Amino acid sequence: MYKGLKRLRWQQFDLLFQLIRRDISARYRGSLMGGLWAIVSPLVMLLVYTFVFGVVFQARWGAGGGQGNSGFALNLFAGMLVHGLIAECLSRSPALIVQHSSYVKRVVFPLWILPLVVVGGALFQTAIGFGVLLAAMLLLGQLPHWELLALPLLLLPLLLLAVGLGWLLSALGAYVRDIGHLMPMIITVLMFLSPVFYSVEAIPEAYRSWMYLNPLTPAIEAMRALLFGGDLPSVKGYLTYLGATALFAAATCWIFNRLRRGFSDVL
């Protein structure tokens, strides 16, 4: 029995990997440049941010990220990468069950994998973006700190948050189709209420505590501190954030499993 369960788990992981690979390849299927778009797109955006904010507006970030024209763009790009990972999960998750309604009829298909496929595809895009960001830092003479090895640990709470949002929105989206129409507005509001275009220090002190109610705030701030200053988050702060996102993911997994019983009735 143990061997059977072990083989079942391996089959599910293999299924997840194959679905993520198919999802990534489907993005660029039929295009002339193919997978090169995964590199070209973030590279173009970084160049645009550098020109607009660094040259046109002469914006300065302050500490971290460099003091030249590119400093603001690097900090902005780092924040956009974190926001972009969550934004893709928010935009795609509500329609997941509806788009894969044929899977609902299959009792043996693990529906809980579908949100993980979205997160895996978003993580792939984010990894390419981080590669472009690190290459830009090297070109600008900013050598990466050895603490950068802790980047996967910093991404772990963010991934748990993304998975939890995927389970919650995909389950609710099967019942309430309006959720999908709300997402573009929510993504935009989230971008401006997160420290993407600014640092937390730029906000009046009276409002800073409210900023940390946004789950993206600690992720963005920790990412910038690690990338540009080599500063690791406090153990207490990291474990608190990790525990909160893990509880959120566990709660939304339970909600997903409860609501999935009625998927076939509403599709």
Side-chain angles (χ1 to χ4, degrees), residues 45-240:
M45 293 307 298
L46 179 58
L47 293 175
V48 169
Y49 292 152
T50 302
F51 176 75
V52 172
F53 292 100
V55 178
V56 178
F57 292 117
Q58 293 292 312
R60 296 294 182 271
W61 194 270
Q67 300 296 322
N69 291 339
S70 58
F72 192 97
L74 291 177
N75 278 278
L76 172 60
F77 192 68
M80 289 294 293
L81 288 176
V82 174
H83 172 267
L85 190 152
I86 296 297
E88 181 164 355
C89 297
L90 289 176
S91 63
R92 294 184 60 190
S93 295
L96 264 182
I97 302 301
V98 176
Q99 292 174 348
H100 298 85
S101 57
S102 59
Y103 292 166
V104 176
K105 309 297 182 179
R106 302 178 183 179
V107 181
V108 296
F109 187 84
L111 293 175
W112 59 270
I113 277 182
L114 293 177
L116 298 185
V117 175
V118 173
V119 174
L123 180 61
F124 172 79
Q125 294 293 118
T126 303
I128 297 295
F130 273 117
V132 171
L133 178 60
L134 291 176
M137 291 173 61
L138 287 173
L139 288 175
L140 294 170
Q142 298 187 36
L143 297 179
H145 305 273
W146 68 266
E147 289 87 353
L148 197 61
L149 295 174
L151 183 60
L153 290 178
L154 285 190
L155 285 175
L156 180 57
L158 190 67
L159 293 178
L160 289 173
L161 175 64
V163 169
L165 289 171
W167 278 328
L168 180 64
L169 293 175
S170 60
L172 294 178
Y175 294 89
V176 185
R177 309 294 170 84
D178 296 29
I179 293 178
H181 298 287
L182 286 173
M183 284 304 109
M185 179 180 63
I186 291 176
I187 290 170
T188 302
V189 171
L190 184 64
M191 180 172 62
F192 286 102
L193 292 183
S194 302
V196 174
F197 297 96
Y198 50 86
S199 65
V200 174
E201 287 73 19
I203 303 172
E205 192 170 351
Y207 300 101
R208 290 181 189 175
S209 59
W210 292 97
M211 281 294 298
Y212 281 97
L213 294 178
N214 181 347
L216 290 190
T217 298
I220 294 175
E221 290 292 294
M223 203 66 64
R224 285 178 177 147
L226 179 66
L227 287 169
F228 305 122
D231 300 323
L232 295 171
S234 67
V235 175
K236 180 180 179 181
Y238 174 77
L239 292 179
T240 300

